[in-house]
Amino acid sequence: MASLNVSLCFFFATCAICEVTRRASKALLPAGTYASFAREAVGAAQLAACCLEMRVLVELGPWAGGFGPDLLLTLVFLLFLVHGITFDGASANPTVALQEFLMVEASLPNTLLKLSAQVLGAQAACALTQRCWAWELSDLHLLQSLMAAHCSSTLRTSVLQGMLVEGACTFFFHLSLLHLQHSLLVYRVPALALLVTLMAYTGPYTSAFFNPALAASVTFHCTGNTLLEYAHVYCLGPVVGMILAVLLHQGHLPRLFQRNLFYRQKSKYRTPRGKLSPGSVDTKMHKGE
């Protein structure tokens, strides 16, 4: 129980520090710099740090702390609920940034800046979290610090199946995101948090990251697979899943082409389908004469 309390304190401290940093950046930086870089970097750091600590609970908690899947899934749901509320519009996900680019909602320089911020934020969180584990505040942190140099891969299946799992998770996530993008925050955040929790439960073969920046900070340095295999599963798979979700939702990729491949555009003007009366036919014939 003491280990769980330490992890809960870690989650609270991480979210609190990131929130203070987010508000300070918003007050001190220009609006464009905050939205394109600072907000994304802080959001990615918060997401990566919590995910790394959550991975400790998932891998070591069941046998070292007696934590059941009900507790772990509840924590996942609550964490993504907090992320959705505190992110202030940040996605902290490269595939979402690419989706905004394909939807002509962001320019290329803006998208590249977001991608850089997300990668840097996730990598910084990884380094800081490992330093926190080195303090050995709990038994789980002690075990994790001993095992950190020999971490195991989160890819527990073939590369092809892993690509399919990550692609499918990303597809459903982006399809839900597109469908709920105009919904109120009070409905959108719990719905997405529940979806992420369900996919985390049903996608144990790859840990269901569907976030290349998050996967890179958590598992790319682990032994068991090559960097190219990781890139195929955790980068190529999610990008393909995102593109398919945009195609299904929009019928086309607005950045690349305007022709709708799946849905017909309905005309704004409807022609009457009723039959002409005999009087109107005679009038037209007289006008023609």
Side-chain angles (χ1 to χ4, degrees), residues 247-258:
L247 277 174
L248 184 61
H249 186 266
Q250 295 292 120
H252 64 112
L253 299 176
R255 177 69 65 176
L256 301 180
F257 52 88
Q258 296 298 323

Side-chain angles (χ1 to χ4, degrees), residues 231-254:
H232 276 91
V233 174
Y234 295 109
C235 296
L236 182 59
V239 169
V240 172
M242 177 272 295
I243 292 175
L244 292 176
V246 173
L247 277 174
L248 184 61
H249 186 266
Q250 295 292 120
H252 64 112
L253 299 176

Side-chain angles (χ1 to χ4, degrees), residues 3-285:
S3 297
L4 178 61
N5 291 333
V6 170
S7 294
L8 292 176
C9 291
F10 177 89
F11 293 139
F12 178 80
T14 298
C15 294
I17 292 172
C18 288
E19 183 62 21
V20 171
T21 306
R22 193 180 288 112
R23 295 194 178 191
S25 301
K26 191 174 185 178
L28 298 174
L29 297 176
T33 305
Y34 169 74
S36 299
F37 188 84
R39 183 175 65 180
E40 292 293 337
V42 175
Q46 178 178 329
L47 180 63
C50 291
C51 180
L52 286 166
E53 183 68 16
M54 194 67 219
R55 188 186 178 194
V56 173
L57 294 177
V58 170
E59 293 187 349
L60 303 179
W63 62 271
F67 306 147
D70 52 346
L71 172 64
L72 299 176
L73 290 173
T74 302
L75 284 176
V76 170
F77 175 77
L78 292 176
L79 282 174
F80 275 92
L81 202 62
V82 172
H83 294 334
I85 295 172
T86 61
F87 269 15
D88 193 26
S91 64
N93 191 332
T95 59
V96 177
L98 292 175
Q99 173 193 299
E100 293 173 353
F101 175 72
L102 291 177
M103 299 280 291
V104 200
E105 297 174 356
S107 63
L108 180 60
N110 192 11
T111 301
L112 293 177
L113 195 60
K114 284 185 177 182
L115 294 176
S116 302
Q118 291 162 357
V119 173
L120 290 175
Q123 294 298 326
C126 182
L128 293 174
T129 303
Q130 288 178 353
R131 284 185 174 273
C132 182
W133 289 340
W135 296 343
E136 300 176 359
L137 299 176
S138 69
D139 294 338
L140 294 182
H141 285 184
L142 172 61
L143 293 172
Q144 180 61 33
S145 61
L146 294 174
M147 299 168 57
H150 306 284
C151 64
S152 58
S153 172
T154 57
L155 181 59
R156 301 181 180 90
T157 184
S158 65
V159 173
L160 180 59
Q161 187 174 355
M163 287 179 60
L164 292 175
V165 171
E166 286 292 312
C169 289
T170 308
F171 172 79
F172 288 114
F173 175 75
H174 279 268
L175 200 60
S176 302
L177 190 65
L178 289 167
H179 184 71
L180 297 170
Q181 60 183 341
H182 299 301
S183 302
L184 295 176
L185 189 69
V186 69
Y187 301 123
R188 183 172 69 251
V189 170
L192 292 176
L194 181 60
L195 177 64
V196 171
T197 305
L198 290 175
M199 288 192 292
Y201 177 73
T202 57
Y205 298 110
T206 63
S207 294
F209 286 114
F210 49 92
N211 185 326
L214 183 61
S217 65
V218 173
T219 196
F220 274 29
H221 61 282
C222 296
T223 58
N225 295 93
T226 65
L227 182 61
L228 185 60
E229 290 174 338
Y230 283 135
H232 276 91
V233 174
Y234 295 109
C235 296
L236 182 59
V239 169
V240 172
M242 177 272 295
I243 292 175
L244 292 176
V246 173
L247 277 174
L248 184 61
H249 186 266
Q250 295 292 120
H252 64 112
L253 299 176
R255 177 69 65 176
L256 301 180
F257 52 88
Q258 296 298 323
R259 181 185 176 186
N260 200 306
L261 301 179
F262 300 141
Y263 312 114
R264 290 184 178 181
Q265 298 284 348
K266 292 186 178 180
S267 176
K268 296 181 180 179
Y269 307 100
R270 300 180 63 182
T271 57
R273 297 182 180 180
K275 294 182 180 180
L276 294 174
S277 61
S280 62
V281 175
D282 294 339
T283 304
K284 288 188 176 182
M285 290 178 64

